[in-house]
Amino acid sequence: MTGNLFAPPDSSAHEGWFTAHCDGGSRGNPGPSGYGAVVEDPQGRVAARLSRFLGIQTNNYAEYSGLIAVLEWAIENSAKRMRVVSDSELMVKQMKGQYKVASPVLRPLYEQARRLAGRLEKFEMRHTLRGGNKEADQLANEAMDKGMGKNREQGSGARDQATAPAARPYGKLEPAPRQIQAPAARPPRQVFEGLVKNGVIHLIEGELPEGILVKVIRE
């Protein structure tokens, strides 16, 4: 590759370009996080759907993780030209050198993404609004739901790369639902007949256990 990481757009040479829409999110920032990405081949066919649960991380960490996943996929599958579309304006401008990367957490991810992109023949990246990344956003949310133990109705077909929790434990993500005890079953109703004499109940048949409470109904 040339010294410039981002190749200038070449309208006359679209052949061989793969396009990836990637997204990352976090519920809480930091909170339960995940990324999703959809990779299309030069003919516009879906070549891969990537997603993963990342545990407790920030939005920006998840965005970079999605970008790295796309670049690793490109290298492993000999996709030498890659266009990445992301709704993270911060990440796009950092990757283009327009913003500095001050975060000590994001810096290693940024450097890894730059190294991976440098192994491609050509690499482009552009920003889109959230509406332009709907399927990638859905994949990221499905990864978070799965990692948090929630059930979400899946879209059409199985994912090409299954979501997987990170190796280290992240502790309890949500309080466990409060267990509600069912009321104890009431004993079957029993009817005893008797007479009252000098304020004392005398049963005609049977006997009652000591200490039991009774209800007297006059007939």
Side-chain angles (χ1 to χ4, degrees):
M1 250 184 101
T2 62
N4 185 7
L5 176 62
F6 289 83
D10 184 358
S11 58
S12 63
H14 292 286
E15 187 175 352
W17 281 95
F18 285 74
T19 301
H21 291 258
C22 67
D23 193 20
S26 171
R27 295 173 181 170
N29 200 31
S33 64
Y35 68 73
V38 182
V39 182
E40 297 179 352
D41 67 12
Q43 288 72 44
R45 299 169 301 194
V46 174
R49 291 183 175 90
L50 313 174
S51 63
R52 187 176 182 183
F53 177 63
L54 299 169
I56 305 300
Q57 298 292 352
T58 64
N59 285 332
N60 291 329
Y61 184 100
E63 296 280 8
Y64 266 104
S65 296
L67 172 60
I68 289 170
V70 166
L71 293 172
E72 289 178 337
W73 181 92
I75 293 169
E76 291 170 2
N77 292 273
S78 301
K80 297 181 180 181
R81 299 182 177 189
M82 177 64 72
R83 291 190 179 97
V84 175
V85 180
S86 169
D87 59 16
S88 172
E89 184 177 7
L90 174 71
M91 182 176 69
V92 172
K93 290 191 173 182
Q94 285 178 339
M95 286 293 293
K96 288 184 174 182
Q98 296 173 351
Y99 286 173
K100 292 183 178 180
V101 185
S103 168
V105 176
L106 295 183
R107 187 75 193 184
L109 298 177
Y110 161 79
E111 291 175 351
Q112 183 181 359
R114 295 276 299 190
R115 285 194 300 271
L116 292 170
R119 294 174 59 183
L120 302 178
E121 182 181 292
K122 289 189 177 181
F123 177 71
E124 294 180 4
M125 194 168 186
R126 69 178 178 87
H127 175 252
T128 184
L129 297 178
R130 190 182 184 110
N133 251 11
K134 287 184 178 179
E135 187 174 2
D137 176 73
Q138 180 183 351
L139 284 167
N141 277 287
E142 287 177 4
M144 285 183 274
D145 285 341
K146 188 173 181 179
M148 296 170 67
K150 293 184 177 181
N151 292 323
R152 173 187 282 255
E153 289 185 5
Q154 300 294 323
S156 58
R159 301 306 176 193
D160 295 321
Q161 179 171 322
T163 59
R168 67 181 181 88
Y170 295 98
K172 185 185 292 184
L173 299 177
E174 291 186 332
R178 184 169 60 90
Q179 298 295 324
I180 301 175
Q181 289 187 334
R186 298 180 63 180
R189 183 183 180 191
Q190 293 179 291
V191 178
F192 296 86
E193 292 184 346
L195 298 173
V196 177
K197 185 176 181 180
N198 297 325
V200 178
I201 300 175
H202 298 272
L203 298 180
I204 298 175
E205 290 183 0
E207 58 181 359
L208 296 173
E210 289 290 333
I212 193 172
L213 296 176
V214 298
K215 181 179 182 180
V216 178
I217 300 175
R218 182 178 179 182
E219 293 183 346

